[in-house]
Amino acid sequence: MKTLSSGVIRGLLGGAAVAMLMLGGAGSASAQTSASANGTATIVPAIAISKTTDLQFGLIVVGPGGTVTVTPSSSRSASGPVILTNATWPVSAASFAVTGGATLVYTISLPTSTSLTGPSSATMTVDTFTSNPSGTGTLSAGGTSTLNVGATITVGATQAAGAYTGSFSVTVNYQ
Amino acid sequence: MKPKTLWIMRFVLVATVILSGMWSASAQTRTTDTIVTSDVYIVQPIAIYKLTDMQFGAIVSGASGGLVTLSTSGSRTKTGTIILPSSFAGRAASFVVLGTPNQTYSLSLPSSMTLVRQSGSETMTVSSFVSNPSSFAFNSGGSSNVSVGATLTVGGNQVLGLYTGSFSVTVSYQ
Amino acid sequence: MSVDVIQGIRVTKTSNLRFGPMIPGTTDGTVALDVTGSRTQTGNLILLTSSSVPFSAANFTMLGTPSITYSITLPSSVTLTRQGGAETIVVNSFVSSPSGNGSLDTAGTGTLAVGGTLTVPASQTPGYYSGQFTVTLTYQ
């Protein structure tokens, strides 16, 4: 469950704008006819994303069908099925480490839907992906950002019991 | 006036004076000082001052690099494998030129500028300097604003970091 | 919760005394900057106007005891020195509005504007000149 290009950054911000009222002075009398300006450019790495945690919905008791949702903060709720807390089947949002140029803004693209496949090719649809940050994120002064992703699975009333797995991709780009 | 009356008056007068003196001595005067700058630009006969530096912003070079062109309005375009993050944008250099109202003048741009990586020695070259306007004259106030853009050549996998340099612009009447 | 405490009269400067750009004439001249920020010249110097190089009177806002009266002390002259050099140019004949004395209104607010006259010799070395002076308010 991962995506994207990569790079590492150590960007830095250009200096504050020179106040209009305080013009750069010059050194000698004739220097008033010349003025110098600085030029700057910052080479930053391409943005990169790597997965740290998978999206895990944990243990679900089928009975009534319905949906189970895991939020980007890893809290789980269900409408229909019964959800059990179980150490063997932990619950967590997916978590990604995004790296790139310090303070740069990136856009986040989440999938529309994906499928989990279980015993005898039974499937469940995963959709309504959500993330935190949402839409866009901002890299820190150190050029990092944590992106958490949740989603909702639809469980059939007679969903076959067993382990279901799948994968999805998240894309990030510099805005 | 009867001496007695006169004496009373004098007494009253003296008493008043003493009282006044006491009031003054005990009255607090306070002051507030404010420091003010005064300045003037003596132009003789033409002068140029920088307003803003030239910034190319954040650039991802990619495997092949390419060119980043900074327009006189500060917008950037790129070629090759370059990516330009928009949240750290470019900015054109700008200057104000002062001189005789309505006169034309000449302005010379450099042919190139070298940017050197801070804490390093890698370089990138800036060339094809352009200005807006491209021909120069003072308005009726004796003022002329000039923006300057240029093109930066970025190598493939250019070493990361902040690159800096400087350039000069000269003005004259001819 | 916060509170702002004022001792006496608080003066906030909103602009410095700025003469703007000018080209000296063929004879010595002067530029008078009045309290409204208008420039008037003597001699044939050329006053230039540039939005990037503004000129203005020195302006201040004041906050303090309602209706308090104050007297204003201005310098007799101030010398501006060329940046990057030692040449000087002089401002004198300071004026203010109010002039001499003033008072805050019943809301404890007031404004003050200061102007002055710059003497511009024909041969003045070109450049950016600046200096500082103090405006003193005295009150009870």
Side-chain angles (χ1 to χ4, degrees):
Chain A
M1 301 192 191
K2 167 209 158 139
T3 274
L4 258 253
S5 44
S6 39
V8 153
I9 247 193
R10 180 33 79 75
L12 116 71
L13 290 178
V18 173
M20 291 288 250
L21 302 187
M22 292 304 295
L23 305 185
S28 61
S30 62
Q32 253 50 54
T33 54
S34 280
S36 61
N38 297 308
T40 58
T42 304
I43 301 296
V44 301
I47 195 163
I49 182 168
S50 62
K51 177 200 72 180
T52 28
T53 311
D54 288 316
L55 176 55
Q56 301 168 92
F57 290 88
L59 201 53
I60 299 168
V61 178
V62 177
T67 60
V68 177
T69 298
V70 172
T71 70
S73 57
S74 300
S75 67
R76 182 179 58 162
S77 60
S79 173
V82 173
I83 44 183
L84 299 181
T85 304
N86 183 295
T88 310
W89 299 97
V91 174
S92 87
S95 188
F96 300 85
V98 183
T99 61
T103 78
L104 297 181
V105 174
Y106 62 93
T107 58
I108 301 157
S109 298
L110 301 175
T112 316
S113 71
T114 188
S115 283
L116 303 183
T117 305
S120 311
S121 304
T123 62
M124 285 191 286
T125 301
V126 183
D127 58 16
T128 317
F129 282 81
T130 56
S131 70
N132 182 13
S134 176
T136 62
T138 303
L139 296 163
S140 68
T144 62
S145 177
T146 299
L147 175 62
N148 295 317
V149 177
T152 299
I153 61 173
T154 302
V155 183
T158 57
Q159 195 74 42
Y164 289 72
T165 61
S167 66
F168 67 97
S169 277
V170 170
T171 304
V172 292
N173 280 298
Y174 284 127
Q175 187 171 54
Chain B
M1 229 179 285
K2 285 186 187 173
K4 185 179 179 187
T5 310
L6 199 58
W7 178 82
I8 288 169
M9 282 177 62
R10 280 200 195 114
F11 175 81
V12 169
L13 205 60
V14 167
T16 306
V17 168
I18 290 171
L19 278 172
S20 299
M22 285 168 60
W23 279 117
S24 298
S26 64
Q28 298 277 359
T29 56
R30 294 176 290 177
T31 62
T32 297
D33 284 353
T34 305
I35 294 175
V36 187
T37 298
S38 183
D39 62 2
V40 63
Y41 291 82
I42 300 296
V43 177
Q44 179 94 278
I46 189 170
I48 179 169
Y49 290 93
K50 175 194 75 177
L51 296 174
T52 58
D53 289 316
M54 178 180 286
Q55 297 179 16
F56 285 89
I59 299 163
V60 180
S61 65
S64 313
L67 304 176
V68 177
T69 298
L70 182 64
S71 77
T72 55
S73 63
S75 61
R76 300 178 296 173
T77 55
K78 43 84 175 174
T79 66
T81 58
I82 288 173
I83 294 171
L84 299 176
S86 65
S87 57
F88 183 178
R91 181 172 196 168
S94 64
F95 303 84
V96 58
V97 190
L98 301 166
T100 306
N102 305 310
Q103 289 290 331
T104 58
Y105 68 92
S106 300
L107 182 147
S108 70
L109 296 173
S111 53
S112 70
M113 162 174 61
T114 299
L115 304 186
V116 182
R117 186 173 74 90
Q118 255 184 10
S119 324
S121 59
E122 295 80 5
T123 61
M124 291 190 288
T125 302
V126 177
S127 57
S128 302
F129 281 78
V130 291
S131 69
N132 181 14
S134 50
S135 65
F136 310 96
F138 296 113
N139 62 19
S140 56
S143 176
S144 172
N145 280 78
V146 180
S147 298
V148 177
T151 298
L152 171 71
T153 302
V154 181
N157 297 316
Q158 185 75 42
V159 175
L160 303 177
L162 171 67
Y163 290 68
T164 63
S166 66
F167 68 96
S168 249
V169 172
T170 302
V171 291
S172 64
Y173 286 112
Q174 65 232 47
Chain C
M1 284 175 63
S2 64
V3 65
D4 194 6
V5 175
I6 297 171
Q7 293 216 358
I9 300 180
R10 172 188 295 170
V11 179
T12 303
K13 181 183 63 175
T14 53
S15 59
N16 284 305
L17 182 62
R18 317 201 68 190
F19 287 86
M22 59 191 66
I23 302 177
T26 51
T27 57
D28 296 352
T30 62
V31 179
L33 193 53
D34 69 20
V35 293
T36 69
S38 294
R39 296 182 302 181
T40 312
Q41 66 182 95
T42 64
N44 61 359
L45 56 85
I46 303 174
L47 293 174
L48 305 182
T49 305
S50 172
S51 56
S52 303
V53 191
F55 57 89
S56 68
N59 287 291
F60 312 84
T61 58
M62 295 172 286
L63 207 48
T65 308
S67 308
I68 194 171
T69 60
Y70 58 86
S71 65
I72 303 156
T73 306
L74 300 173
S76 53
S77 74
V78 62
T79 300
L80 315 186
T81 304
R82 186 174 73 86
Q83 183 179 58
E87 296 84 358
T88 59
I89 196 169
V90 176
V91 180
N92 52 27
S93 303
F94 282 83
V95 292
S96 68
S97 171
S99 180
N101 301 286
S103 60
L104 300 186
D105 61 20
T106 53
T109 69
T111 60
L112 173 67
V114 172
T117 299
L118 176 75
T119 300
V120 188
S123 58
Q124 190 71 35
T125 303
Y128 171 70
Y129 291 73
S130 72
Q132 291 190 324
F133 63 96
T134 301
V135 172
T136 300
L137 302 187
T138 304
Y139 47 94
Q140 296 288 305

